[in-house]
């Protein structure tokens, strides 16, 4: 049995139909938990993400935000409950190559290959995994580099780029796998305000194209601007799922109010 953490009287968010995944949701999570030994990292989570939604996951450090989104491509396998993505059950029998084609991820530190040019970073996986020809992969890479606004950087190496440019390359590289879901783990952590504005624009474009996005961040202004919904977590549980204006003006829980007060103060 999972231990019950002290959440200052807050009840976890629970959909009306726990155990019955939504037919039209891109992602359905039901009673999902993740353990590290006796430590409960994610505790019986329940929520849906609709197709094309932009979800921002907020919460204090150690609340389980990054662990949550990493369960969607099984970088972190969950221990109980269920995750369905586009109606497909994600478990230990899932083909990870197929899953990670469908669910792309952009990491905080970009994870670009330093010995490869920008275009080669973008073409490597489509050639190896999707069996595209070099020309097909390059044409696709240049298309997505144009979409993220840096086609002129195609032949440079990561070390020659700014942080914002490297982040755009990481997004383009993920898009080259033509995912249906994009996961962003602190995508604006090391970026200046102008670069953050660029990421906002790219994520809006992805949503217009029907790509579902989930983003972990500590940036409050970014969250308020980009999100269709805010998921607020603490100690491995979801305490609120609300539209951004409601979350930032009238949070439902004392824990969320305290979190916002601390973020605004610092």
């Amino acid at each position: 049995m999972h231990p019950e953490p002290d959440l200052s009287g807050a009840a976890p968010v629970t959909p009306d139909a726990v155990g019955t995944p939504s037919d039209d949701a891109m992602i359905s999570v039901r009673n999902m938990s993740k353990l590290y030994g006796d430590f409960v990292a994610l505790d019986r989570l329940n929520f849906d993400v609709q197709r094309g939604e932009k979800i921002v996951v907020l919460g204090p450090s150690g609340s389980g935000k990054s662990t949550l989104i990493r369960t969607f491509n099984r970088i972190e396998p969950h221990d109980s409950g269920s995750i369905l993505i586009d109606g497909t059950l994600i478990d230990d029998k899932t083909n990870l190559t197929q899953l990670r084609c469908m669910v792309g991820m952009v990491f905080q530190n970009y994870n670009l290959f330093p010995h490869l040019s920008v275009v080669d970073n973008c073409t490597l996986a489509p050639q190896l995994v999707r069996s595209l020809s070099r020309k097909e992969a390059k044409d696709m890479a240049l298309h997505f580099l144009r979409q993220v606004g840096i086609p002129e950087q195609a032949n440079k190496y990561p070390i020659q780029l700014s942080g914002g440019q490297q982040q755009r390359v990481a997004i383009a590289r993920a898009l080259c796998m033509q995912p249906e879901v994009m996961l962003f783990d602190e995508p604006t952590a090391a970026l200046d305000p102008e670069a953050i504005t660029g990421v906002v624009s790219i994520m809006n474009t992805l949503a217009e194209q029907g790509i579902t996005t989930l983003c972990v961040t500590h940036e409050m202004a970014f969250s308020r601007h980009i999100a269709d919904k805010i998921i607020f977590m603490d100690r491995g549980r979801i305490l609120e799922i609300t539209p951004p204006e409601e979350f930032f003006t009238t949070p439902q829980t004392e824990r969320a109010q305290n979190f916002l007060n601390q973020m605004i103060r610092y």
Side-chain angles (χ1 to χ4, degrees):
M1 181 176 294
H2 297 161
E4 290 286 347
D6 177 11
L7 294 173
S8 302
V13 172
T14 305
D16 293 334
V18 170
T20 305
S22 173
D23 290 337
D24 58 351
M26 174 56 73
I27 299 173
S28 286
V29 176
R30 293 294 181 269
N31 291 317
M32 189 269 283
S33 295
K34 168 68 181 177
L35 309 178
Y36 295 105
D38 294 331
F39 176 70
V40 183
L42 301 174
D43 190 8
R44 294 164 290 176
L45 306 188
N46 291 283
F47 65 97
D48 291 327
V49 178
Q50 303 304 316
R51 297 173 189 276
E53 273 195 313
K54 295 172 290 183
I55 304 296
V56 169
V57 187
L58 294 178
S61 297
S63 60
K65 306 182 299 296
S66 292
T67 301
L68 171 61
I69 67 167
R70 286 167 179 249
T71 63
F72 297 141
N73 63 0
R74 283 190 73 80
I75 290 178
E76 296 286 355
H78 62 289
D79 292 294
S80 61
S82 66
I83 300 172
L84 277 77
I85 299 182
D86 199 17
T88 299
L89 184 66
I90 306 305
D91 58 19
D92 56 7
K93 299 177 183 177
T94 299
N95 182 306
L96 294 183
T97 299
Q98 292 178 0
L99 174 63
R100 290 168 187 170
C101 287
M102 181 169 64
V103 182
M105 186 158 189
V106 178
F107 297 89
Q108 179 178 346
N109 59 356
Y110 321 133
N111 283 10
L112 301 175
F113 295 112
H115 64 291
L116 296 180
S117 68
V118 165
V119 71
D120 286 340
N121 263 280
C122 294
T123 59
L124 181 62
Q127 290 179 88
L128 294 177
V129 177
R130 291 196 176 275
S131 300
L132 297 187
S133 69
R134 167 67 179 171
K135 183 181 185 307
E136 290 172 327
K138 185 174 181 180
D139 288 346
M140 182 180 294
L142 293 174
H143 167 76
F144 287 118
L145 289 171
R146 284 192 293 272
Q147 182 170 318
V148 301
I150 53 168
E152 72 284 357
Q153 309 297 336
N155 295 316
K156 292 185 179 179
Y157 288 82
I159 197 173
Q160 298 174 287
L161 306 180
S162 69
Q165 290 170 332
Q166 290 187 57
Q167 185 66 284
R168 289 173 182 239
V169 174
I171 295 170
R173 181 176 64 176
L175 290 173
C176 284
M177 298 303 289
Q178 299 179 290
E180 297 180 50
V181 177
M182 284 281 282
L183 311 174
F184 294 84
D185 193 359
E186 297 284 2
T188 61
L191 304 184
D192 60 35
E194 184 176 1
I196 291 173
T197 299
V199 174
V200 170
S201 176
I202 291 167
M203 292 179 72
N204 281 328
T205 299
L206 298 183
E208 291 169 1
Q209 295 172 351
I211 296 176
T212 305
T213 61
L214 291 96
C215 177
V216 169
T217 184
H218 285 95
E219 296 282 348
M220 297 298 101
F222 173 79
S223 303
R224 195 167 190 165
H225 187 85
I226 197 67
D228 295 317
K229 289 179 185 174
I230 300 287
I231 292 179
F232 177 70
M233 297 184 66
D234 189 32
R235 302 185 191 182
R237 303 181 81 177
I238 294 174
L239 302 189
E240 302 194 22
I241 302 177
T242 54
E245 284 307 310
E246 181 178 337
F247 178 79
F248 285 104
T249 58
T250 55
Q252 299 172 0
T253 62
E254 182 181 352
R255 182 67 188 92
Q257 183 64 66
N258 290 339
F259 171 79
L260 289 171
N261 289 342
Q262 291 294 322
M263 296 302 292
I264 292 170
R265 182 179 303 172
Y266 296 104

